[in-house]
Amino acid sequence: MHIRPASAVDARSLSELLNEIIALGGTTALKTLTKADMISWIVSNPAEYAFLIAEDERGDALGFQAIGPRKTLPPEACDIATFTRSGKAQLGIGSALFSATEKKAKALGYHWINATILNQNTGGQAYYQSRGFEPYKHTSERVFMRFLLH
């Protein structure tokens, strides 16, 4: 497995990966994204965003992770989104992505990372807890978790 920054040329495969997850339901509040939507997300302001892709030895996308600011968070915090190809969970993809993402978050000057997870997404909650995230807020629909960068 190889982790690298995503680029606009990855947009089709990443939008397909994400749209498969969205179609399955229950793990994300995101709506279907077009290739153009994904390009826009990937090429967001690099001074505030990082978008990393995990790929196999053939270059096929296994998952991706993105961090960036969110209007509801203070400027010292970034939001994180993590997606792995359906059927590929538990293969170390998320761990490899987070190792690289944590370094990028520090380099971008963030002090902590926020993860907003749907309450029914117990797998997502377990993943973030395994990385060291701790819950700090709950609503009827979501749990908010934070990871402090050292």
Side-chain angles (χ1 to χ4, degrees):
M1 179 178 4
H2 175 69
I3 307 297
R4 64 171 175 79
S7 70
V9 298
D10 301 307
R12 181 185 309 152
S13 64
L14 294 183
S15 62
E16 289 171 358
L17 183 153
L18 179 57
N19 289 335
E20 285 178 22
I21 294 167
I22 291 168
L24 291 172
T27 60
T28 182
L30 290 177
K31 304 296 182 207
T32 302
L33 293 180
T34 65
K35 179 182 172 186
D37 295 331
M38 187 60 75
I39 289 172
S40 179
W41 191 7
I42 292 170
V43 300
S44 299
N45 181 353
E48 296 179 316
Y49 288 85
F51 201 112
L52 300 171
I53 181 174
E55 55 190 11
D56 65 16
E57 61 282 346
R58 296 182 320 200
D60 293 334
L62 298 171
F64 67 90
Q65 196 162 66
I67 57 168
R70 188 176 194 160
K71 291 178 185 175
T72 57
L73 294 172
E76 67 271 8
C78 62
D79 203 43
I80 191 168
T82 306
F83 302 97
T84 56
R85 185 166 300 284
S86 182
K88 298 290 185 182
Q90 307 295 320
L91 297 178
I93 299 164
S95 298
L97 282 166
F98 189 71
S99 179
T101 297
E102 181 181 3
K103 291 174 187 164
K104 276 302 270 183
K106 288 177 185 177
L108 291 169
Y110 290 113
H111 298 267
W112 60 280
I113 302 171
N114 174 77
T116 304
I117 307 121
L118 294 175
N119 284 333
Q120 71 263 25
N121 185 357
T122 56
Q125 291 175 46
Y127 163 72
Y128 285 112
Q129 285 178 329
S130 74
R131 305 277 62 83
F133 282 70
E134 296 181 357
Y136 71 93
K137 180 178 156 184
H138 291 83
T139 68
S140 61
E141 297 177 357
R142 293 175 172 82
V143 60
F144 299 82
M145 303 176 83
R146 112 172 80 207
F147 179 86
L148 300 176
L149 296 162
H150 305 291

